[in-house]
Amino acid sequence: MSVVDLQMITPDWPAPPGVRAAFTLRTGGVSVAPYDSLNLGARIGDSPEAVAENRRRVREKLRLPTEPVWLEQVHGTVVVHLGAAAARTRPLAGGADELVSAPTGDSAVAWGAGHVCAIRVADCMPVLFAARDGSAVAAAHAGWRGLAAGVLEATVRRLAVPPSQLIAWMGPAIGSAHFEVGDEVRAAFTATDAGAASAFVANERGRWQCDLYALARRRLTAIAVSGIYGGGWCTFADTERFFSYRRNSQCGRMAALIWIESEQVEPQD
């Protein structure tokens, strides 16, 4: 498969001029099973050379202005300002770079052109943000731990844009039919929001089916972000397009990316 044929999801939201975003699928790369094939995650067992080539293909396909800052994600609430972040790389054969160190965090924000926010996922929800005037963008890693801890709220605070002037897009994540959790997960949300109980449905095993999309909507709405888009995918169920850690614990990682261009450039068809 050539870079021209590499397929992605383009968020369906009213992004302002100059704001670009994409979500990568699992196909179109060079990694072999169980990371086949467009794995963008380093240090999970895949060949560093394969990951570097996959990332190069994404850069070429999207005509990114720079290499994304690939955060060291830890399911927390730390927000990284990309203008102040620095990631070190070392050269690999063929001109590729291997990431040596990266900022630790689960959200990235950027003001103005020149920085690419990126979040890697394989069931957790990526949430992208854009200021309606196109001045700022952000990407957050919102699995259940990050959601409960407040990663979305922390991202909005760090953006310093009135919530009413933000739009948010919820990318592919595990669907409620396949996301079974215990009482501790439900309690983590209902402890501060009794209404969050509506996002949990009891199953016959005495556990809960959890709706990450519903939980994210509740939390965004609670902080006055009303322009909410996306949702409805299930990474577990769609084996052709998505990696899923719950389905295959050893697997690759997809990425949600967002950036501001100094000039609008159309991706390659």
Side-chain angles (χ1 to χ4, degrees), residues 79 109-111 129 131 133 135-138 152-166:
V79 182
V109 300
W111 291 269
F129 294 89
D133 65 1
S135 62
V137 294
L152 299 184
E153 294 88 340
T155 303
V156 170
R157 286 195 300 270
R158 189 68 179 88
L159 277 168
V161 174
S164 63
Q165 296 305 307
L166 290 173

Side-chain angles (χ1 to χ4, degrees), residues 113-243:
H115 304 286
V116 181
C117 303
I119 293 295
R120 300 180 312 283
V121 293
D123 280 339
C124 290
M125 183 191 307
V127 180
L128 302 181
F129 294 89
R132 293 182 186 273
D133 65 1
S135 62
V137 294
H141 174 219
W144 80 262
R145 293 182 188 278
L147 270 177
V151 69
L152 299 184
E153 294 88 340
T155 303
V156 170
R157 286 195 300 270
R158 189 68 179 88
L159 277 168
V161 174
S164 63
Q165 296 305 307
L166 290 173
I167 57 174
W169 181 78
M170 301 181 296
I174 190 169
S176 60
H178 296 283
F179 191 29
E180 181 180 288
V181 300
D183 290 337
E184 74 284 0
V185 176
R186 185 174 183 271
F189 288 94
T190 57
T192 56
D193 175 17
S198 62
F200 296 85
V201 176
N203 62 30
E204 60 186 12
R205 292 172 293 281
R207 290 167 62 82
W208 304 94
Q209 301 302 133
C210 173
D211 188 338
L212 282 176
Y213 293 120
L215 290 170
R217 286 191 187 94
R218 287 190 65 85
R219 298 188 80 100
L220 289 169
T221 300
I223 56 174
V225 176
S226 58
I228 306 170
Y229 303 87
W233 295 277
C234 180
T235 49
F236 186 103
D238 192 336
T239 61
E240 295 298 318
R241 295 197 298 168
F242 303 128
F243 292 115

